[in-house]
Amino acid sequence: MKKISKLLFFVAVGLVIASCGTENTTQSTEVLPSVPSDTSESENSSVEMEETDTEETHEEDTPEASDLKRVGEAGYGFVDIPSDWVNFQDVNATEDLRQYSDLTGTSIITLFVMEDSPNDAEQAASNSWAGMESNGAVDVQGAIVELAGYETYQVYGIYENVGIMLVTYHFEDEEGKLHYISAESNQGGIVQVIELVEDTFSLTE
């Protein structure tokens, strides 16, 4: 994982998730960018993003290239996943997502794109932030990172009740389409899932 302040990030993951349960879930904790309501925004809905360009090293087992397969779809983007991962469908999803998971449904990568979003990437990240908190996530934080060459708003938080960390990415491409990518897993898998997204995601196959 190259684009996030990894040392502080992984320390935070270790401290918070270590205290969580290890129960697996087959229900994704996704919080997709939401359309703003007609009511005025509260001052607290704004996300304060922090520029993070420090590169740190982290020792973590990652699959060999021969153990990966490339998945995705034009428009949504493409990402490498372990060869034993499968297509995944969140039973609560109302959007047309592209999702992939390990066989337990614990580690999940989601790709989503909106062609005519009323939000820009920053507002979408703000919505994700608010959605995470309203759904029970703790220690929700944000940063500005680079993903596939795009300035990207990142939001992440911990769902303590199931021991899952969710990391979301929001950016706009050259055509103005809003992209949402997420990585989620438990303590044992989150580092690998984040690295798969940050190291292999692109809009081209």
Side-chain angles (χ1 to χ4, degrees), residues 84-161:
D84 62 348
W85 279 33
V86 296
N87 291 338
F88 176 89
Q89 183 61 54
D90 182 356
V91 295
N92 294 322
T94 59
E95 306 288 354
D96 189 16
L97 311 176
R98 299 296 179 267
Q99 294 182 289
Y100 312 93
S101 78
D102 65 0
L103 296 178
T104 68
T106 301
S107 297
I108 304 169
I109 291 175
T110 297
L111 309 178
F112 179 59
V113 62
M114 295 183 68
E115 294 191 10
D116 299 306
S117 174
N119 301 319
D120 60 14
E122 183 175 7
Q123 183 59 52
S126 295
N127 293 342
S128 280
W129 184 305
M132 284 186 191
E133 290 186 327
S134 68
N135 286 326
V138 299
D139 289 344
V140 180
Q141 300 181 50
I144 297 176
V145 300
E146 183 180 308
L147 183 66
Y150 294 93
E151 181 179 86
T152 302
Y153 292 87
Q154 178 192 68
V155 180
Y156 52 94
I158 307 288
Y159 291 85
E160 290 184 316
N161 60 326

Side-chain angles (χ1 to χ4, degrees), residues 1-111:
M1 184 172 60
K2 298 178 290 187
K3 295 96 177 175
I4 189 173
S5 271
K6 296 199 307 187
L7 182 59
L8 293 177
F9 180 83
F10 289 123
V11 167
V13 173
L15 290 176
V16 179
I17 262 189
S19 65
C20 301
T22 57
E23 177 186 351
N24 287 343
T25 176
T26 57
Q27 177 176 318
S28 169
T29 51
E30 297 300 336
V31 182
L32 290 173
S34 58
V35 177
S37 64
D38 293 334
T39 59
S40 59
E41 296 180 10
S42 72
E43 294 180 358
N44 292 331
S45 65
S46 175
V47 177
E48 293 183 4
M49 296 296 177
E50 175 186 358
E51 293 280 358
T52 57
D53 54 8
T54 303
E55 293 191 6
E56 302 285 352
T57 57
H58 182 79
E59 294 296 328
E60 181 70 17
D61 292 333
T62 55
E64 297 293 334
S66 59
D67 297 327
L68 298 174
K69 60 183 178 182
R70 192 120 178 112
V71 296
E73 186 176 317
Y76 287 78
F78 300 86
V79 66
D80 289 353
I81 60 174
S83 58
D84 62 348
W85 279 33
V86 296
N87 291 338
F88 176 89
Q89 183 61 54
D90 182 356
V91 295
N92 294 322
T94 59
E95 306 288 354
D96 189 16
L97 311 176
R98 299 296 179 267
Q99 294 182 289
Y100 312 93
S101 78
D102 65 0
L103 296 178
T104 68
T106 301
S107 297
I108 304 169
I109 291 175
T110 297
L111 309 178

